[in-house]
Amino acid sequence: NGQGTCYNGCGFVQVSSTVRAGMALQAGTSATFGLRYYSGNWWVLYNNTWFGYFPGSLWGGAFTSANSVSAFGEVAADKAPSCTDMGDGAYGSSGGASWISNFQLYGAGSAPRFTVKSTDPSYYNSGSVTATSFTLGGPGAC
């Protein structure tokens, strides 16, 4: 909706009492995430729980399908550089790094095309990239 940054807000409507936008995820576990346009809103899924949505009215109903989706790892901190691990703390270019896999665009007839980049590869980076996955992570500036 034209805002450069907007975490856990921007009109998001929370509907679950057990899953919340911005909640900490446990390192070393797998999860399923999803976004789907349904009944005029963009619904967000985490491990089989539709936990909230962005009302279609935020965009005047103009966006009813997706042809481009961003997936990323991020560390949010009060100041840079951060001492916070991304993923499990292993660099994305090393073995055992965190990953995003089985990525797909619902209803698409072909595999996604990834462009993977790191904003500060000395602290966090990416590694192996396939048609449906990539590794990412790092230990931060500690």
Side-chain angles (χ1 to χ4, degrees), residues 1 3 14 16-17 26 30-31 43 46 84 89 91-93 96 124 133 139:
N1 67 352
Q3 296 187 27
Q14 180 74 40
S16 170
S17 61
Q26 185 175 354
S30 294
W43 284 84
Y46 172 73
T84 302
Y91 283 104
S93 57
Y124 311 103
S133 67

Side-chain angles (χ1 to χ4, degrees), residues 21-124:
M23 70 182 200
L25 303 177
Q26 185 175 354
T29 60
S30 294
T32 300
F33 297 89
L35 294 170
R36 183 167 293 170
Y37 184 75
Y38 177 75
S39 293
N41 302 309
W42 284 97
W43 284 84
V44 185
L45 170 92
Y46 172 73
N47 280 348
N48 298 314
T49 299
W50 294 99
F51 66 92
Y53 63 91
F54 291 95
S57 61
L58 292 171
W59 302 279
F63 299 102
T64 59
S65 64
N67 62 12
S68 176
V69 178
S70 297
F72 53 91
E74 181 176 46
V75 172
D78 292 334
K79 61 181 181 171
S82 171
C83 191
T84 302
D85 290 349
M86 176 186 289
D88 58 10
Y91 283 104
S93 57
S94 68
S98 294
W99 69 94
I100 293 177
S101 64
N102 298 320
F103 194 90
Q104 53 189 301
L105 185 57
Y106 180 77
S110 60
R113 289 181 303 216
F114 285 121
T115 300
V116 180
K117 64 180 181 175
S118 299
T119 55
D120 198 334
S122 61
Y123 302 132
Y124 311 103

Side-chain angles (χ1 to χ4, degrees), residues 89-98 118 121 124-129 134-139:
Y91 283 104
S93 57
S94 68
S98 294
S118 299
Y124 311 103
N125 70 16
S126 58
S128 175
V129 178
F134 59 96
T135 58
L136 70 161

